[in-house]
Every structure is written in C-alpha cells, then in structure tokens.
Amino acid sequence: MSDAPNATSEPAAPQKALSISATGFAQCQQPTNSTSKLFAPDRPELVKSPKLKPSWRTVRMETPRIPALVTHDLGDDLAFFAGRLPDELTWDQSLFENAWAFHPTERPVIQMIGKPVAIPRWQMAFGHDYRFSNQTSVAAPVPELLEPLRGWCQKHIHPRLNGLLLNWYEGPGHYIGAHHDEDEQLVPHTPIVTISFGETRNFRLIRGREKRDFAAPSGTVFVLPADTNRAWKHLVPKSTKYSGRRISVTLRAFETA
Ligand SMILES: O=C(O)CCC(=O)C(=O)O
C-alpha cells in the first residue's frame, strides 16, 4: 500500500449495466464466447467454465449478483463494478457518528523507504488481521454496526468476504495513495469491496497513463475483481476541496486455516 498524494478529476460516466439472467444470476454485458454461467455463491459448479479464456473466467467468477450494479469495462477483459447499498443499509447521520466514534486515536505507522511514517488517515481491521506494507493491522471483533454490511456482501457479492478494514478520512489532508491491494492472504479470485459513507470523495483507478475516476457518494458500493486489482492501482486522492468526513468499509475474503 502506498500513500503518495494525487490530484483529482471528474468522475467517469458508467458504461455497461448488468442484467439478470433467466437463472436469476447477474449477467455482465461484455463480449463473451459463452452464453450463461456466471458466479453464483450457492452453485459453485457454475464457476467452472474451461472453454473461457482464463481472464474471462476470472471476471465471470467475480461478477456479482447485485441487479443495480453497473459494469465499467476497463479493456483487456478487466472490469470494475459500481452500485449502491439498499437504503435500509445506508447509514444515517446517527449511525455515521457511531462509526466515526470508534476510529482509533492513533494513525497506523508503516515503513516507507526504511522510515516510520504515520499514514494519512485512521485505519482499523475487524474480523480478520490484514498484513500489508510490512505491518499487520490486528483485527478487533466485528462490531454490531458492521454485521449487516458484511452479511449483505456475503449474500450478494461473495460468500467468503470475512474481513473488514475501515478507513476514516477527515478534511483535505487525508487520502490513500496509489496501490494494489496485497492479495497473498486472500482466497484466489475473490473481489475486494468498498462501501463509502459520508463526504463524497473520488475513487480513482490508474494503470500507466490511464486513469478512471468514480465518485463515491454515501452508500456507494464498488467491487474490484482480483485481476483488476493486479492490473490497476487504486487510490483516494487528497484535495483542498474536501472538508468533511468519510468512512470507507472495505471487505476482503481472507483464507482461514
Ligand atoms: O477508502 C477507500 O475508498 C479505499 C481504501 C483502500 O484502497 C484500501 O483500504 O486498500
């Protein structure tokens, strides 16, 4: 994980919508040489499709089942998905304040070029430890407030999403730099989910000179497939235009012993 500053720009327009197939599973409208079988947590046999190219197989395994999710085609058979939480799960001001209240007092310290540096936001793991940047974010038990989000993501996106990492951002100086999520501890081919609450920030994907910006208003759900995470970096840039507070709830599928 890196924490270099970055500038912002306007969000990109959504590209392709998901539709629901006759089997009830989300169907990604991308070019494909096969007709139907998509990721379905309750029907694992559907993810085995040897006729597909490996990259397609991965995208399709990770295609979530949320009807309203929009697919952003990133080229090279890579995709990024954006949607919204149902209203009943979106935090109101009082739930946001509850979640804000449990940010840690200290910011985590990571090693950058051999020197200890406090990261520019608060961060804490719940449910499963997360090792990155040569340090471990030791997990606290999952609080009641986060259980409905984890349950919904397990039901609708991937059943093995078991660990949460929260980031608390306040004002113009807080951000997360461009990085690929470290995936050695994750179940292969599982997506990374980010749910946003509070101030609308920009979530940016970059690959070489290419850049895609996605606005993340409160209640937004982003799904980053594993192979997209490997090919594209992501970041939440800093900007003087931000003055409020944002919490991101990120979910990953950690291997368990
Ligand atoms: O806050 C966000 O939206 C992104 C968080 C993130 O990139 C991470 O936790 O790795």
Side-chain angles (χ1 to χ4, degrees):
M1 191 171 286
S2 138
D3 283 290
N6 283 279
T8 56
S9 66
E10 289 310 304
Q15 295 176 350
K16 295 173 182 172
L18 291 180
S19 64
I20 299 297
S21 68
T23 57
F25 301 125
Q27 188 136 10
C28 175
Q29 294 172 344
Q30 296 194 47
T32 174
N33 57 2
S34 169
T35 47
S36 57
K37 311 300 188 210
L38 298 176
F39 170 70
D42 42 354
R43 295 184 62 188
E45 75 280 6
L46 294 186
V47 304
K48 301 262 188 280
S49 183
K51 282 192 206 132
L52 296 172
K53 287 192 285 174
S55 54
W56 268 113
R57 204 156 55 227
T58 310
V59 168
R60 291 159 68 81
M61 277 173 69
E62 294 167 351
T63 301
R65 302 172 60 188
I66 310 172
L69 219 59
V70 172
T71 303
H72 296 268
D73 183 350
L74 300 175
D76 295 335
D77 292 344
L78 298 169
F80 178 72
F81 303 97
R84 285 197 62 77
L85 275 181
D87 287 349
E88 63 275 16
L89 288 184
T90 304
W91 293 345
D92 59 14
Q93 192 58 32
S94 137
L95 287 178
F96 184 87
E97 294 299 336
N98 284 351
W100 190 263
F102 60 72
H103 80 64
T105 48
E106 303 292 327
R107 291 181 286 135
V109 172
I110 59 169
Q111 295 293 322
M112 280 183 84
I113 326 173
K115 292 203 175 123
V117 178
I119 67 169
R121 66 195 172 279
W122 296 281
Q123 189 175 65
M124 189 168 168
F126 298 91
H128 202 287
D129 294 354
Y130 187 27
R131 273 193 316 279
F132 57 87
S133 298
N134 298 319
Q135 54 95 45
T136 300
S137 196
V138 177
V142 179
E144 219 175 291
L145 176 66
L146 298 179
E147 277 298 4
L149 299 178
R150 184 165 69 164
W152 184 82
C153 288
Q154 287 176 340
K155 181 168 179 205
H156 295 284
I157 300 176
H158 198 288
R160 295 190 65 180
L161 291 165
N162 54 359
L164 302 99
L165 184 79
L166 266 63
N167 291 286
W168 289 262
Y169 301 83
E170 186 170 37
H174 278 188
Y175 64 93
I176 187 165
H179 64 284
H180 302 283
D181 275 9
E182 294 181 22
D183 59 8
E184 293 78 15
Q185 311 145 75
L186 304 184
V187 178
H189 309 306
T190 53
I192 297 151
V193 178
T194 301
I195 303 174
S196 297
F197 295 107
E199 183 176 39
T200 300
R201 286 248 185 166
N202 222 16
F203 185 98
R204 176 174 295 165
L205 295 176
I206 56 169
R207 186 185 195 187
R209 297 167 71 90
E210 275 186 272
K211 178 176 85 171
R212 301 287 184 94
D213 283 314
F214 301 91
S218 207
T220 301
V221 179
F222 292 139
V223 182
L224 181 70
D227 50 1
T228 305
N229 175 52
R230 287 200 166 184
W232 289 71
K233 290 183 177 177
H234 60 278
L235 62 145
V236 175
K238 70 195 287 192
S239 167
T240 50
K241 73 182 181 194
Y242 299 126
S243 57
R245 299 177 300 171
R246 169 178 184 259
I247 300 173
S248 68
V249 178
T250 64
L251 295 98
R252 297 172 180 80
F254 290 93
E255 291 280 16
T256 47

